[in-house]
Amino acid sequence: MGVLDGRVALVTGASRGIGAEIARRFGAAGAAVAVTARSTSGAPTAMPGTIDQTVAEISGAGGHAVAIPADLSRPDDRTRLVEETSARLGAPDILVSNAAVTWFAPVAEFTLRRYALMFAVQVEAPFHLATLVLPGLRARGAGWILNISSGAARHPAVPASRAVRGGTVYGMCKAALERFSTGLAAELYDDNIAVNALSPSRVVPTPGTIFHHLTSQDDPRAEPPAVMAEAALLLCHREPRTLTGRIAYSQELLAEFGVPVPRLPAAACGSAPLGYQKDVQGLDLIPVHPQRVDLQRAQ
């Protein structure tokens, strides 16, 4: 019996990286997963990974998933996404908004078109999708909404280090997403619907972060995507009123609840999938000391 048996999860940005890892983990935990992004086997992008590949990995491990392509910058696509998910799997019990399109450039060089597109995908889409799934969550008397954020939401030091220059708009998107998450959590507490924001404790090697030169596949300081997936699962199955309104960080959250940190190789950059099974056999887990989480030491 998986902790998500009987649940329907909708995960955006699930063709690769953190989104694909969360979709695989939820499938292993028993959820029927709607996997969405723009990248499909018939319309791949320059980066590795498609929603069809993610679905094949979930199905191959004994889970159930469907691929629903969507461009989340388009309101009509968001509406269709929720309608098709409901028609094929049932109304979502869980919404994970992970999709992102990102450019890094100083404000003086940022174009309005890119600014608008980033906010459409990273802020407007999570907002709109939440409103679309709310009627179903309220009807069932429980639900979970999780927005994937980043440490970039934190205010930078002044003067800023070279590492954070060019990330102002990205940080704005994530800060807005976090404020939306806590506000919605307060609004929906009486409806028994949990809303949280989750960020990685360390940079996660994904096709996107590697493309932007934020990390590398073999970076010993990086966090495997399985850590975010395990933290996402924690936030999307507990009794909603007991774990809501959090701006959480993956390793700190797992340590707080005594959940082992997955000791797994990063699989988000085109290497073999992690191979979750329905009974979660084969995971190499390490215990977490409640006062210290040091994934680098465990690798």
Side-chain angles (χ1 to χ4, degrees):
M1 294 291 290
V3 295
L4 296 185
D5 279 355
R7 304 292 188 189
V8 174
L10 169 56
V11 183
T12 75
S15 58
R16 60 181 69 92
I18 290 171
E21 194 70 8
I22 290 173
R24 288 191 289 262
R25 185 67 183 93
F26 283 15
V33 187
V35 176
T36 189
R38 291 179 302 160
S39 301
T40 67
S41 57
T45 62
M47 292 185 183
T50 67
I51 55 176
D52 303 288
Q53 179 182 342
T54 303
V55 166
E57 291 162 357
I58 294 170
S59 300
H64 180 44
V66 296
I68 304 176
D71 179 349
L72 294 184
S73 69
R74 300 172 58 89
D76 288 349
D77 267 26
R78 302 170 201 153
T79 300
R80 177 184 55 79
L81 170 62
V82 174
E83 290 175 346
E84 189 169 342
T85 298
S86 299
R88 297 177 67 179
L89 299 178
D93 301 283
I94 300 166
L95 168 65
V96 179
S97 286
N98 167 73
V101 57
T102 303
W103 288 273
F104 289 93
V107 169
E109 301 171 14
F110 223 94
T111 67
L112 289 179
R113 184 187 69 82
R114 289 181 172 181
Y115 175 93
L117 185 57
M118 283 182 64
F119 267 84
V121 174
Q122 298 191 49
V123 181
E124 294 172 20
F127 180 96
H128 189 194
L129 289 172
T131 67
L132 292 171
V133 303
L134 271 179
L137 301 183
R138 282 179 163 143
R140 289 186 298 285
W144 296 264
I145 296 173
L146 179 61
N147 296 312
I148 302 303
S149 188
S150 164
R154 294 169 168 168
H155 294 277
V158 179
S161 68
R162 180 175 294 273
V164 300
R165 293 174 186 169
T168 297
V169 176
Y170 180 68
M172 290 170 65
C173 290
K174 294 305 186 182
L177 191 63
E178 291 186 356
R179 180 59 180 85
F180 166 58
S181 300
T182 56
L184 187 61
E187 291 183 15
L188 298 180
Y189 183 83
D190 289 340
D191 293 303
N192 199 38
I193 299 170
V195 186
N196 293 288
L198 176 66
S199 299
S201 295
R202 300 184 182 187
V203 65
V204 178
T206 68
T209 57
I210 291 174
F211 174 82
H212 288 293
H213 307 292
L214 302 177
T215 187
S216 62
Q217 179 69 60
D218 56 356
D219 185 352
R221 301 166 298 174
E223 175 177 299
V227 179
M228 278 290 286
E230 203 66 35
L233 180 64
L234 174 65
L235 291 170
C236 291
H237 84 271
R238 299 249 173 164
E239 187 64 29
R241 289 195 185 99
T242 68
L243 189 55
T244 188
R246 294 287 196 97
I247 304 298
Y249 283 79
S250 56
Q251 295 185 45
E252 291 80 355
L253 181 73
L254 294 178
E256 177 186 346
F257 286 87
V259 177
V261 172
R263 183 185 177 189
L264 294 166
C269 304
S271 57
L274 293 176
Y276 289 122
Q277 300 298 318
K278 288 281 283 184
D279 58 356
V280 205
Q281 292 295 316
L283 290 183
D284 181 11
L285 302 178
I286 60 171
V288 178
H289 190 284
Q291 299 303 318
R292 178 174 174 81
V293 185
D294 190 345
L295 190 63
Q296 182 177 354
R297 182 167 52 86
Q299 289 180 316

